[in-house]
Amino acid sequence: MLKQNLHTHSIYCDGKDTPAETAETAAAVGFSVLGFSGHGTAFCDTASMSEKNTQLYISEVRRLKEEYRGRMEIFLGVEEDIIQRIPDRSPYDFVIGSCHFIRKNGQIWPLDYSREVFVQILEAFDNDFIMLAEAYYSSVRSMKDFAEIDFIGHLDLLTKYNEDESFVRFDDPAYVRCACDTIDALQNIPFEVNTGAIARGYRRTPYPYANLLKYMQEKGVRILLNSDCHDRTKLECAFPETLSLIRKCGFRSMLKMTDHGFEEADLGEFLDAYNL
Ligand SMILES: [Zn+2]
Ligand SMILES: [Zn+2]
């Protein structure tokens, strides 16, 4: 039986809880592996960790790692945005590579800030979603050369406000081609399945959308499941239904973080945690 989450924010960036509070909840609900992943400092993101908060974050997570040793494995990670890569990987057990921003007309826009901002971004791209998707996925593809990255965060973040398909149809061939080209370019790097937008009420299904997840399975891409937790009450948000989706897409295993790095674990171990 295996419960794991490697995408967890805290008060040191834009999360609600201290790492200690989240660790307490995780242990209480039976997690065996918990990874913290504060937002790496990004000049354009006030929600990212300041240099001072990065130091406080690192020391608190290291302390918790010792405190929980033998009961729950705790790992120190960071969510790096491609706009400002971390200066030094050495303090971290793992690095998530994400793209939250898009540059257009000399401006930098956050893709996941609000629906209103997203509409403005789309206007900057002449209301052409495919043009925006091409720019976004081309940024995401640049991570193929980032040696520090262990897995890719929320691949299709640009569909956060698209639950009703008002911006693009999830099966639009031009859109699917952009996304699948990106999976092909990055296929040696694992991808996360991320339930964060479900926790915040924007989506009913995880990133990546089911058709992209199926494509990953066909291509033999390795995955892991994360909640992108900003609130410890949502630590395992939508995990049962997402594990069922992962099984339905044909996956037989997911990655598990260990002291020696990532290892494949049978999907059954994750399903057992929810009696699936
Ligand atoms: Zn993110
Ligand atoms: Zn995150």
Side-chain angles (χ1 to χ4, degrees):
M1 204 150 88
L2 181 50
K3 275 195 195 184
Q4 167 180 270
N5 179 51
L6 296 182
H7 195 152
T8 313
H9 296 283
S10 74
I11 53 161
Y12 296 113
C13 51
D14 56 350
K16 277 190 181 167
D17 310 297
T18 63
E21 288 166 337
T22 303
E24 190 189 334
T25 298
V29 299
F31 270 75
S32 34
V33 182
L34 176 65
F36 288 94
S37 60
H39 286 288
T41 309
F43 66 91
C44 55
D45 186 5
T46 52
S48 66
M49 294 190 290
S50 63
E51 278 174 37
K52 180 168 171 254
N53 274 1
T54 303
Q55 293 315 314
L56 294 169
Y57 164 75
I58 290 174
S59 40
E60 183 168 345
V61 175
R62 281 187 178 151
R63 181 180 63 74
L64 292 167
K65 200 173 173 128
E66 293 312 314
E67 187 182 327
Y68 282 85
R69 196 174 289 282
R71 285 188 285 158
M72 177 172 74
E73 288 194 82
I74 292 187
F75 293 102
L76 171 63
V78 65
E79 183 179 13
E80 163 182 276
D81 192 282
I82 62 169
I83 210 149
Q84 187 173 338
R85 292 165 73 183
I86 50 168
D88 179 13
R89 193 204 187 282
S90 63
Y92 300 110
D93 298 316
F94 68 94
V95 178
I96 309 176
S98 294
C99 175
H100 304 94
F101 298 95
I102 193 104
R103 290 176 194 266
K104 184 71 178 170
N105 305 336
Q107 260 187 280
I108 297 172
W109 306 79
L111 283 158
D112 59 341
Y113 185 76
S114 68
R115 195 177 207 277
E116 290 67 36
V117 170
F118 187 79
V119 166
Q120 289 171 29
I121 297 171
L122 198 53
E123 280 165 9
F125 281 85
D126 303 331
N127 287 312
D128 183 339
F129 190 94
I130 301 303
M131 199 199 294
L132 167 60
E134 278 167 355
Y136 168 76
Y137 281 112
S138 136
S139 292
V140 174
R141 280 196 291 277
S142 68
M143 288 192 273
K144 73 176 174 18
D145 301 318
F146 291 15
E148 72 277 18
I149 289 175
D150 291 288
F151 61 89
I152 306 289
H154 41 62
L155 171 66
D156 49 353
L157 183 70
L158 83 170
T159 62
K160 180 172 179 178
Y161 306 107
N162 192 52
E163 181 65 35
D164 56 1
E165 301 192 302
S166 57
F167 295 109
V168 71
R169 283 179 52 108
F170 283 108
D171 64 355
D172 179 310
Y175 170 69
V176 173
R177 197 181 56 244
C178 284
C180 289
D181 284 352
T182 306
I183 295 167
D184 290 343
L186 299 171
Q187 65 174 298
N188 294 323
I189 309 175
F191 286 78
E192 70 168 0
V193 179
N194 176 313
T195 63
I198 305 176
R200 288 188 259 189
Y202 294 106
R203 291 282 296 271
R204 287 192 297 273
T205 59
Y207 308 115
Y209 201 72
N211 57 347
L212 304 183
L213 195 53
K214 183 81 187 90
Y215 185 79
M216 288 180 183
Q217 191 277 327
E218 288 162 9
K219 291 283 177 163
V221 171
R222 293 161 300 158
I223 59 162
L224 47 155
L225 170 61
N226 290 322
S227 64
D228 202 346
C229 181
H230 288 72
D231 170 348
R232 61 179 170 153
T233 66
K234 304 281 171 65
L235 190 61
E236 51 189 331
C237 179
F239 273 19
E241 49 272 52
T242 303
L243 284 164
S244 297
L245 173 69
I246 288 168
R247 175 171 56 187
K248 201 174 140 206
C249 287
F251 287 95
R252 295 281 171 266
S253 65
M254 291 203 299
L255 291 179
K256 157 180 136 176
M257 176 111 226
T258 74
D259 277 334
H260 329 285
F262 286 94
E263 286 175 7
E264 296 270 345
D266 195 278
L267 188 66
E269 286 193 58
F270 296 93
L271 295 166
D272 281 350
Y274 299 96
N275 299 314
L276 293 167

